[in-house]
Amino acid sequence: MLFRSVLLAVQDPARIETRFVSTALQLASTLDLPAGSCTFEENTCGFDSVFEFLPWILNEEGHYIYVDTSFAKQGEKAVLLSPDLQAEEWSCLRLVYQIATSSGSPSDPSRLNLYMRFEDESFDRLLWSAKNPSDSWLIASLDLQNTSKKFKILIAGVLGHGNISSIALFEIKMTTGYCIECDFEENHLCGFVNHWNPNVNWFVGGGNMRNSQSALPQDHTFKSELGCFLCAISGHYMYVDSVYIKHFQEVAQLISPMTTAPMSGCLSFYYQLQQRNGNIFSVYTRDAAGLYEEIWKAGDPGNAVWNLAEVEFSAPYPKEVIFEVAFNGPKGGYVALDDISFSPVHCQNQTERPFSALEASCNFEEDLCNFYQDKEGSGWTRVKVKPNMYRAGDHTSGLGYFLLANTKLTSQPGYIGRLYGPSLRGNLQYCLRFYYAISGFLKMSDTLAVYIFEENHVVQDKIWSVLESPRGVWMQAEITFRKPMPTKVVFMSLCKSLWDCGLVALDDITIELGSCWSPEKLLPPPGECTFEQDECVFTQERRNRSSWQRRRGETPTSYTGPKGDHTTGVGYYMYIEASHLVYGQKARLLSGPLRGVTGKHCLTFFYHMYGAGTGLLNVYLKKEGDSEESLLWRRRGEQSISWLRALIEYSCERQHQIIFEAIRGVSVRSDIAIDDIKFQAGSCAEMEDKSQQSSGYSEDLNEIEY
């Protein structure tokens, strides 16, 4: 599709969606659409409505499909399922859609969700969601990482509350490549959007159109290779012209779609400058929080030809690329842009090694990883404690290794133990997460602190320290930091005096790029539930005082139950309050329906069974249509004062549910808790090797097929 020179503008350029331009010139013959694509001209191209839900309706005149309240009730859902797809190379999925409602801002708006369904997973992965109504077509661009596994795209439209609600799909297109790439030959401009400015904006140039007073160049993509015979469909590019400038330093911005998958490599593009009284052409990145970072600036414009620019681009979390031109006046010339591309290999002039989250993190199960201590002392000791009723185990599994400082072997007045992390590149934003537990100190303040050291160890900056903390509970800390120079994270434990020394434990350190508080990280991953926001997709057969309860902090009864949750130490978990049940009474927590697939599933979760009268915790598999349930796993009696990890491997090719059943023991000291449930495709073998249960524990049923 080709289109005339038009102006693109939206009120909110930070959103993924961009205005869809409907001034396309249709080619005489329609090209074959790639797999996973559809324009809904005559049919749905192999996309089918799922029978259990509302059907998507093909408009009588073609062009789009829709669902609305004229034939459906509010709250009902329509689900569209693609045929089997494969993306052995990185791909971009673009969706042109519209959500319309008669009311302004309903409390329960219509919503459009897009999922990815892998053939070996029992759950769907939410890739994107939209709920804002619009009076025009919008476009969403989604990066799909390359995978060897087959998958389907599932699009669910849920009608909200309003007098009239409708959801429509105009086009779905899946192409090989990255969503930030564009040659500007298609009408949707690959989701790029101009940030509206009354005096200066990016326009589409090329073809046989000449709307500018400047002598604009030919398109770079096709150049003049097509000849006059095809000059009517010659190529296009983006340009910005200074002719309408009225003020000093007028700025025009062309904004890419937001990346939706981590990527790192070389961003390249072609540009042309005509500088009279000067202009400044720069490229920035902008994250979801609005933080800008300049990554490139044009130098000497040289000749009026297309110049190739290459710049190192890293987007470990969602980012936009912004092409910005600032003019000094109406005689600042023009800037043209074309053929933006991306390669996952680094630019030719790039020699610096990219950041690796794996190398910067450690759970201490095997060794200290890339962390190390001062040569003159070993204040931190890697230990493994067999958990019992009096001593807690590590955070990773309850049965593994962690670091311990300020023990009786190392404590002395004024003693400081330092643990250094690996070197981190400067001018990047990092998220540091770790777990700590403290006990034995009279005053807890500053017993553990985190510093940032520059590489020369001359400048140190304290970015976090303990103030107060529940004693003996694994607590999570999250710290976002950014420094201009290469740095190292340093954990420092302090023994203030001989009479005020205790134990400081450290485990599960992770360092990732980006902010710990980015909005895109708030949604839990698919197949996981931490109970921080709610009970996820879990339900109960009944809800009363004897049901599973969602709670944070200690349980009411002493000498039973956890002191905090496993996720953060201060979050939520599910438990049974034994004082509300009688001996032998059951509470059952049911997962949502899980799709049956071939191959093995791995279910992991953490459980807490502490108390002299603790009863049983069972995990059952219930297949659709069967009245009987199959026992997968069981624990009986008191296990530990720690959270322990359970791994259950099973196979089921039919739709099914997982049921967590807790049975009250002989006394009120029988609280049972669970947290951090996770479903994964594949075998648990690797995780089982790291978390071998001792022979004193109850039976463990593994590798069960149904």
Side-chain angles (χ1 to χ4, degrees), residues 52-64:
E52 293 83 358
F53 303 98
L54 292 172
W56 287 89
I57 305 299
L58 181 66
N59 182 41
E60 292 181 358
E61 299 179 358
H63 308 308
Y64 65 89

Side-chain angles (χ1 to χ4, degrees), residues 222-242:
F222 297 119
K223 298 180 181 176
S224 58
E225 296 173 6
L226 295 176
C228 292
F229 179 71
L230 293 176
C231 62
I233 56 169
S234 59
H236 297 78
Y237 54 87
M238 300 300 294
Y239 76 93
V240 56
D241 199 338
S242 64

Side-chain angles (χ1 to χ4, degrees), residues 45-120:
C45 316
F47 285 79
D48 295 320
S49 293
V50 177
F51 177 75
E52 293 83 358
F53 303 98
L54 292 172
W56 287 89
I57 305 299
L58 181 66
N59 182 41
E60 292 181 358
E61 299 179 358
H63 308 308
Y64 65 89
I65 59 173
Y66 69 96
V67 57
D68 64 31
T69 50
S70 65
F71 64 89
K73 298 179 181 178
Q74 296 170 351
E76 288 191 292
K77 179 191 297 185
V79 178
L80 190 70
L81 192 63
S82 77
D84 285 332
L85 302 172
Q86 280 189 299
E88 295 184 353
E89 296 182 68
W90 192 291
S91 300
C92 179
L93 180 68
R94 291 191 173 93
L95 180 71
V96 182
Y97 70 97
Q98 183 179 359
I99 301 174
T101 181
S102 60
S103 55
S105 299
S107 57
D108 185 17
S110 297
R111 183 178 292 275
L112 186 62
N113 298 327
L114 189 145
Y115 301 86
M116 203 170 184
R117 174 178 291 181
F118 286 100
E119 60 179 351
D120 62 343

Side-chain angles (χ1 to χ4, degrees), residues 9 40 55 73 105 156 169 185 190 201 204 252 256 284 299 335 356 381 399 404 513 522 526 540 550 553 577 604:
F40 304 108
K73 298 179 181 178
S105 299
L169 302 178
E185 300 303 331
C190 318
N201 292 280
V204 178
S256 78
Y284 296 86
V335 175
S356 169
T381 305
L399 301 164
L404 193 63
L513 289 173
L522 296 180
Q540 304 202 50
R550 181 170 164 265
E577 175 53 51
T604 64

Side-chain angles (χ1 to χ4, degrees), residues 545-567:
R545 296 180 67 201
S546 61
S547 306
W548 284 93
Q549 310 289 328
R550 181 170 164 265
R551 185 179 178 86
R552 69 191 306 178
E554 293 184 283
T555 61
T557 308
S558 59
Y559 301 105
T560 188
K563 293 181 180 179
D565 79 320
H566 178 265
T567 314

Side-chain angles (χ1 to χ4, degrees), residues 600-604 647-649 682-689:
K600 295 179 179 179
H601 304 277
C602 182
L603 166 64
T604 64
L647 300 98
I648 305 173
E649 189 172 290
S683 169
C684 289
E686 293 182 2
M687 287 180 282
E688 288 176 4
D689 292 340

Side-chain angles (χ1 to χ4, degrees), residues 120-385:
D120 62 343
E121 291 183 343
S122 57
F123 50 86
D124 300 324
R125 296 178 175 269
L126 178 64
L127 296 185
W128 171 85
S129 182
K131 63 179 180 180
N132 294 326
S134 171
D135 57 0
S136 61
W137 294 103
L138 303 175
I139 180 170
S141 302
L142 306 169
D143 286 293
L144 304 181
Q145 292 176 291
N146 51 305
T147 175
S148 59
K149 298 192 295 185
K150 289 184 179 179
F151 64 91
K152 295 177 185 286
I153 295 297
L154 187 148
I155 302 173
V158 183
L159 294 171
H161 293 280
N163 295 331
I164 299 176
S165 297
S166 65
I167 303 171
L169 302 178
F170 184 91
E171 182 179 284
I172 302 170
K173 191 167 186 180
M174 179 175 157
T175 56
T176 300
Y178 297 79
C179 290
I180 60 172
E181 296 181 314
C182 197
D183 58 12
F184 304 109
E185 300 303 331
E186 295 191 74
N187 60 325
H188 51 56
L189 299 185
C190 318
F192 278 74
V193 60
N194 170 74
H195 180 54
W196 169 255
N197 183 319
N199 299 318
V200 58
N201 292 280
W202 286 89
F203 291 86
V204 178
N208 58 356
M209 307 303 298
R210 289 292 181 266
N211 290 347
S212 173
Q213 298 181 27
S214 301
L216 295 174
Q218 289 184 315
D219 157 74
H220 176 268
T221 310
F222 297 119
K223 298 180 181 176
S224 58
E225 296 173 6
L226 295 176
C228 292
F229 179 71
L230 293 176
C231 62
I233 56 169
S234 59
H236 297 78
Y237 54 87
M238 300 300 294
Y239 76 93
V240 56
D241 199 338
S242 64
V243 66
Y244 298 113
I245 295 294
K246 295 181 179 179
H247 305 287
F248 178 74
Q249 284 288 300
E250 291 272 19
V251 174
Q253 289 185 332
L254 183 68
I255 304 168
S256 78
M258 186 81 77
T259 62
T260 59
M263 62 180 68
S264 179
C266 188
L267 178 70
S268 63
F269 55 92
Y270 285 87
Y271 70 98
Q272 216 178 106
L273 295 181
Q274 182 199 51
Q275 290 182 329
R276 296 170 186 163
N277 292 339
N279 58 57
I280 302 173
F281 181 30
S282 306
V283 180
Y284 296 86
T285 61
R286 182 173 63 186
D287 62 18
L291 181 66
Y292 280 78
E293 180 182 357
E294 183 180 87
I295 60 174
W296 180 87
K297 179 181 287 187
D300 186 350
N303 299 323
V305 297
W306 286 105
N307 301 284
L308 172 64
E310 292 184 332
V311 56
E312 198 67 21
F313 175 69
S314 178
Y317 48 91
K319 286 185 179 181
E320 296 165 319
V321 179
I322 299 178
F323 295 87
E324 180 180 285
V325 180
F327 290 106
N328 292 328
K331 296 183 179 180
Y334 69 83
V335 175
L337 175 69
D338 203 3
D339 294 339
I340 302 169
S341 62
F342 176 81
S343 171
V345 299
H346 294 278
C347 301
Q348 295 181 1
N349 58 358
Q350 173 69 16
T351 58
E352 192 171 12
R353 189 180 179 189
F355 171 82
S356 169
L358 183 63
E359 294 180 3
S361 304
C362 194
N363 62 10
F364 306 107
E365 294 303 313
E366 303 295 335
D367 49 34
L368 294 184
C369 308
N370 292 312
F371 289 77
Y372 64 95
Q373 302 191 63
D374 282 328
K375 295 180 180 179
E376 60 267 20
S378 56
W380 293 92
T381 305
R382 181 170 163 266
V383 299
K384 181 177 182 179
V385 177

